[in-house]
Amino acid sequence: MLKLLAFDYGASSGRGILGKFDGSRLEIEEVHRFANEPVTVNGHLYWDILRLYHELKQGIHKCTVNGHKDIGSIGIDTWGVDFGLLDSEGNLLGNPFHYRDIRTEGMIGEAAKLVSKRSIYEETGIAFQKFNTLYQLLSMSLRGSPLLEKASTMLFIPDLLNYFLTGEKASEYTIASTAQMLDSRKGQWAGDMLKKLGIPQGILANIIKPGAQLGKLSTMVSTELGMGRVPVMAVAEHDTGSAVVSVPASQDRYAYISSGTWSLLGVEAAAPVINDDTYRLNYTNEGGFNNSIRLLKNIMGLWIYQECKRAWDKEGESTSFDQLEQEASKSTAFLSFIDPDDDMFYNPGGMPGKIREYCSKTGQRVPETRAEIVRCIMESLALKYKMALYGLENILGYTLPVLHIVGGGCKNVMLSQFTANAIDRPVITGPTEATAVGNLVAQLVALGEVGSLAEGREVVRNSFPCRAYAPADVRQWDEAYGRFISIIDKQY
Ligand SMILES: C[C@H](O)[C@H](O)[C@@H](O)C(=O)CO
């Protein structure tokens, strides 16, 4: 039995997941779970990076003491775009900022003064999101940040944690692609563009492909943790990249949603798709495992719902997601809609109030109860998925007959059924632990234990249950889509 260890840092928690592979099936076991909450200091939002590195070591140490000293390899994934800076001696400069920090406000406009938006998109193929690494670095550069001046190396968060473990500095391709700083066709840093934007190129590390061995636990770390010098693999370090590795699809044409705090709806393409439509509709071309491109739309996802629950918990109305969904299922359908991607929902705090405000300013019935608010979020998300799927089919010129949903969002039965109804296609959900499973599958490929991504997906099919949802009430959902479009169109 081969044992592997995956670390997945998600929006509110991180996990160490032990994978056990018997040659055809993969079993997973959570060995360590810890909070991953950003810390606000003087109005800025940061990663609690040293604590999170400590938790990574705790996870490895737990394996040592619990009879799993024989780990074959380790891989780490996190969300995209965030990074740490190292000085010339390899010391971490400051605390990495969290992408929801306000410092990137207005930076897309500032970048466009130096290089046109169309040129940036043409080269990188990456959608404009104010949180992209490009705008984080630009804001530092324009403010004359002393940290940036001192920096020798920039490492994305999983690369930084890998560096702490191994001493090796490299930028894994899938996470680097989220920066909007790579030439998407070459898979290398877009040097000329970065020069025009004033981003120092000396800080950029070599790009390595997922599936390569990055290094081994350093002697110091292995002694400290009582674990051997275990290989550390470059998996698809962008969590969406890992999640997509785990999609258990067997057919040629399908769409996926990596569903969690964000909903990433897309397809795997052989090459970047960059044209007038992808530019206008802001579709992105992120780097994937196996040299694939993830052509996808970034949708705000369950963030709004999670924030509502946090607000209600704070107000002392503590509840569970299950209970909220049960209440919402009894609530009247299609009372009001929101555009989940409206900028007003981006920042944390006061989410139920923001939803009411959106509905009021768009002349809709204002949802009052928790159930009405949850129903409004779920219906709006399902309709936004339909819009993104239609956009994708238009771009590709063919239909996508089935939608796979992977990740924590699969647990939301109501949203999965609403999605099938809205898109009038079958929806297949699972695996729930998509990022960790994809991380482990990439390690299996890297170790040569499975021959290819296709074989890896067969392992996923053999190992994790899926659930299918057939579309229902399609006519009502079609009518609702018309209303939804007219409401969110007015927003633009
Ligand atoms: C910054 C976001 O998290 C990113 O766009 C998204 O791709 C992601 O990583 C979701 O986990």
Side-chain angles (χ1 to χ4, degrees), residues 156-470:
F156 296 96
I157 300 295
D159 294 327
L160 181 67
L161 295 167
N162 281 337
Y163 162 67
F164 290 159
L165 286 181
T166 65
E168 302 292 338
K169 297 174 197 157
S171 275
E172 186 277 328
Y173 166 65
T174 66
I175 194 100
S177 76
T178 66
Q180 206 175 20
M181 289 165 56
L182 291 190
D183 176 327
S184 66
R185 293 175 185 90
K186 296 187 184 135
Q188 291 298 330
W189 299 110
D192 288 347
M193 181 193 86
L194 296 175
K195 195 169 166 197
K196 287 180 196 150
L197 289 163
I199 307 292
Q201 290 176 62
I203 63 172
L204 307 174
N206 282 342
I207 308 275
I208 57 167
K209 285 286 165 98
Q213 180 173 325
L214 173 80
K216 288 183 174 180
L217 292 186
S218 68
T219 321
M220 216 186 312
V221 170
S222 98
T223 310
E224 180 188 346
L225 302 179
M227 176 74 81
R229 296 205 57 204
V230 176
V232 174
M233 297 301 180
V235 294
E237 291 180 10
H238 182 208
D239 56 4
T240 312
S242 274
V244 171
V245 165
S246 83
V247 173
S250 49
Q251 61 282 71
D252 283 344
R253 289 186 176 173
Y254 61 90
Y256 56 75
I257 299 180
S258 168
S259 175
T261 299
W262 291 92
S263 296
L264 299 316
L265 185 150
V267 292
E268 279 179 298
V273 184
I274 299 174
N275 56 37
D276 290 347
D277 288 337
T278 57
Y279 173 66
R280 184 174 50 85
L281 300 170
N282 214 20
Y283 279 74
T284 205
N285 288 273
E286 292 172 346
F289 193 74
N290 216 16
N291 290 319
S292 65
I293 292 289
R294 279 176 286 109
L295 172 65
L296 61 82
K297 184 85 184 160
N298 205 330
I299 302 167
M300 195 83 86
L302 291 168
W303 162 253
I304 299 175
Y305 181 38
Q306 291 159 349
E307 275 293 291
C308 282
K309 182 171 179 302
R310 270 192 278 275
W312 292 321
D313 286 350
K314 246 195 206 162
E315 285 162 13
E317 290 178 49
S318 205
T319 173
S320 67
F321 285 120
D322 277 351
Q323 194 187 333
L324 287 173
E325 282 143 43
Q326 264 176 35
E327 287 170 13
S329 69
K330 293 182 201 127
S331 173
T332 313
F334 309 130
L335 277 181
S336 31
F337 304 108
I338 54 166
D339 178 358
D341 292 310
D342 192 284
D343 207 37
M344 70 189 285
F345 302 123
Y346 179 75
N347 288 116
M351 206 56 87
K354 289 177 186 171
I355 293 173
R356 292 191 184 106
E357 188 190 328
Y358 181 100
C359 293
S360 157
K361 80 176 183 199
T362 48
Q364 302 181 79
R365 187 182 174 286
V366 174
E368 293 303 337
T369 63
R370 280 191 330 201
E372 286 175 354
I373 288 179
V374 173
R375 183 109 193 183
C376 166
I377 298 171
M378 297 307 153
E379 290 174 348
S380 303
L381 272 177
L383 292 166
K384 194 76 198 250
Y385 295 163
K386 179 180 177 114
M387 192 174 174
L389 184 72
Y390 275 15
L392 198 53
E393 289 180 336
N394 260 329
I395 288 164
L396 295 168
Y398 54 79
T399 39
L400 298 159
V402 59
L403 175 70
H404 282 270
I405 304 183
V406 298
C410 295
K411 290 187 207 144
N412 193 321
V413 172
M414 171 182 256
L415 180 58
S416 303
Q417 184 62 59
F418 283 3
T419 304
N421 301 353
I423 65 170
D424 191 13
R425 317 267 154 89
V427 164
I428 300 171
T429 61
T432 310
E433 298 295 343
T435 44
V437 169
N439 178 324
L440 293 165
V441 168
Q443 294 185 52
L444 288 174
V445 176
L447 290 167
E449 291 290 324
V450 300
S452 63
L453 177 57
E455 274 181 40
R457 286 188 166 142
E458 203 178 315
V459 171
V460 178
R461 283 195 292 279
N462 288 340
S463 312
F464 303 98
C466 287
R467 177 168 174 181
Y469 295 82

Side-chain angles (χ1 to χ4, degrees), residues 26-48:
L26 182 63
E27 255 177 49
I28 56 172
E29 180 192 330
E30 185 177 293
V31 288
H32 190 47
R33 178 177 277 267
F34 45 95
N36 182 11
E37 281 153 0
V39 182
T40 305
V41 183
N42 283 337
H44 285 286
L45 204 58
Y46 298 91
W47 281 74
D48 196 359

Side-chain angles (χ1 to χ4, degrees), residues 9 47-50 52-53 56 76 78 82-87 90-97 153-172 175 205 214 232 237:
Y9 288 77
W47 281 74
D48 196 359
I49 195 70
L50 295 184
L52 292 167
Y53 176 55
L56 173 58
I76 303 175
T78 71
D82 289 345
F83 60 89
L85 295 172
L86 303 178
D87 70 12
N91 300 306
L92 181 64
L93 288 164
N95 252 76
F97 283 85
T153 314
M154 174 189 80
L155 293 177
F156 296 96
I157 300 295
D159 294 327
L160 181 67
L161 295 167
N162 281 337
Y163 162 67
F164 290 159
L165 286 181
T166 65
E168 302 292 338
K169 297 174 197 157
S171 275
E172 186 277 328
I175 194 100
L214 173 80
V232 174
E237 291 180 10

